[in-house]
PDB file of all heavy atoms in Angstrom:
ATOM      1  N   ILE K  43      -5.299 -88.106 188.187  1.00  0.00           N
ATOM      2  CA  ILE K  43      -4.295 -87.586 187.289  1.00  0.00           C
ATOM      3  C   ILE K  43      -2.962 -87.563 188.035  1.00  0.00           C
ATOM      4  O   ILE K  43      -2.896 -87.139 189.207  1.00  0.00           O
ATOM      5  CB  ILE K  43      -4.632 -86.170 186.827  1.00  0.00           C
ATOM      6  CG1 ILE K  43      -5.982 -86.152 186.092  1.00  0.00           C
ATOM      7  CG2 ILE K  43      -3.548 -85.609 185.895  1.00  0.00           C
ATOM      8  CD1 ILE K  43      -5.995 -86.836 184.759  1.00  0.00           C
ATOM      9  N   THR K  44      -1.887 -87.967 187.372  1.00  0.00           N
ATOM     10  CA  THR K  44      -0.555 -87.958 187.984  1.00  0.00           C
ATOM     11  C   THR K  44       0.031 -86.559 187.949  1.00  0.00           C
ATOM     12  O   THR K  44      -0.460 -85.681 187.242  1.00  0.00           O
ATOM     13  CB  THR K  44       0.377 -88.923 187.260  1.00  0.00           C
ATOM     14  OG1 THR K  44       0.718 -88.324 185.965  1.00  0.00           O
ATOM     15  CG2 THR K  44      -0.262 -90.265 187.034  1.00  0.00           C
ATOM     16  N   PRO K  45       1.127 -86.297 188.681  1.00  0.00           N
ATOM     17  CA  PRO K  45       1.759 -84.985 188.637  1.00  0.00           C
ATOM     18  C   PRO K  45       2.168 -84.546 187.222  1.00  0.00           C
ATOM     19  O   PRO K  45       2.167 -83.347 186.945  1.00  0.00           O
ATOM     20  CB  PRO K  45       2.986 -85.163 189.542  1.00  0.00           C
ATOM     21  CG  PRO K  45       2.584 -86.198 190.516  1.00  0.00           C
ATOM     22  CD  PRO K  45       1.717 -87.159 189.731  1.00  0.00           C
ATOM     23  N   GLN K  46       2.489 -85.507 186.364  1.00  0.00           N
ATOM     24  CA  GLN K  46       2.851 -85.165 184.982  1.00  0.00           C
ATOM     25  C   GLN K  46       1.680 -85.214 184.014  1.00  0.00           C
ATOM     26  O   GLN K  46       1.841 -85.136 182.798  1.00  0.00           O
ATOM     27  CB  GLN K  46       3.973 -86.087 184.499  1.00  0.00           C
ATOM     28  CG  GLN K  46       5.297 -85.845 185.210  1.00  0.00           C
ATOM     29  CD  GLN K  46       6.440 -86.719 184.709  1.00  0.00           C
ATOM     30  OE1 GLN K  46       6.205 -87.768 184.103  1.00  0.00           O
ATOM     31  NE2 GLN K  46       7.655 -86.259 184.919  1.00  0.00           N
ATOM     32  N   GLY K  47       0.461 -85.313 184.551  1.00  0.00           N
ATOM     33  CA  GLY K  47      -0.722 -85.200 183.724  1.00  0.00           C
ATOM     34  C   GLY K  47      -1.218 -86.468 183.081  1.00  0.00           C
ATOM     35  O   GLY K  47      -2.071 -86.418 182.195  1.00  0.00           O
ATOM     36  N   ARG K  48      -0.743 -87.626 183.486  1.00  0.00           N
ATOM     37  CA  ARG K  48      -1.198 -88.891 182.925  1.00  0.00           C
ATOM     38  C   ARG K  48      -2.446 -89.380 183.717  1.00  0.00           C
ATOM     39  O   ARG K  48      -2.558 -89.125 184.916  1.00  0.00           O
ATOM     40  CB  ARG K  48      -0.091 -89.929 182.977  1.00  0.00           C
ATOM     41  CG  ARG K  48       1.104 -89.564 182.103  1.00  0.00           C
ATOM     42  CD  ARG K  48       2.150 -90.662 182.119  1.00  0.00           C
ATOM     43  NE  ARG K  48       3.256 -90.393 181.194  1.00  0.00           N
ATOM     44  CZ  ARG K  48       4.387 -89.798 181.546  1.00  0.00           C
ATOM     45  NH1 ARG K  48       4.569 -89.428 182.831  1.00  0.00           N
ATOM     46  NH2 ARG K  48       5.331 -89.588 180.671  1.00  0.00           N
ATOM     47  N   LYS K  49      -3.276 -90.145 183.051  1.00  0.00           N
ATOM     48  CA  LYS K  49      -4.497 -90.647 183.680  1.00  0.00           C
ATOM     49  C   LYS K  49      -4.246 -91.958 184.416  1.00  0.00           C
ATOM     50  O   LYS K  49      -3.686 -92.893 183.878  1.00  0.00           O
ATOM     51  CB  LYS K  49      -5.601 -90.853 182.631  1.00  0.00           C
ATOM     52  CG  LYS K  49      -6.090 -89.534 182.017  1.00  0.00           C
ATOM     53  CD  LYS K  49      -7.203 -89.818 180.989  1.00  0.00           C
ATOM     54  CE  LYS K  49      -7.720 -88.504 180.389  1.00  0.00           C
ATOM     55  NZ  LYS K  49      -8.783 -88.748 179.374  1.00  0.00           N
ATOM     56  N   LEU K  50      -4.688 -91.978 185.670  1.00  0.00           N
ATOM     57  CA  LEU K  50      -4.704 -93.223 186.465  1.00  0.00           C
ATOM     58  C   LEU K  50      -6.001 -93.949 186.167  1.00  0.00           C
ATOM     59  O   LEU K  50      -7.062 -93.339 186.113  1.00  0.00           O
ATOM     60  CB  LEU K  50      -4.624 -92.906 187.956  1.00  0.00           C
ATOM     61  CG  LEU K  50      -3.290 -92.461 188.530  1.00  0.00           C
ATOM     62  CD1 LEU K  50      -3.495 -91.942 189.933  1.00  0.00           C
ATOM     63  CD2 LEU K  50      -2.332 -93.618 188.537  1.00  0.00           C
TER      64      LEU K  50
END
Side-chain angles (χ1 to χ4, degrees):
I43 301 290
T44 72
Q46 292 183 337
R48 296 182 175 94
K49 292 180 179 179
L50 285 169

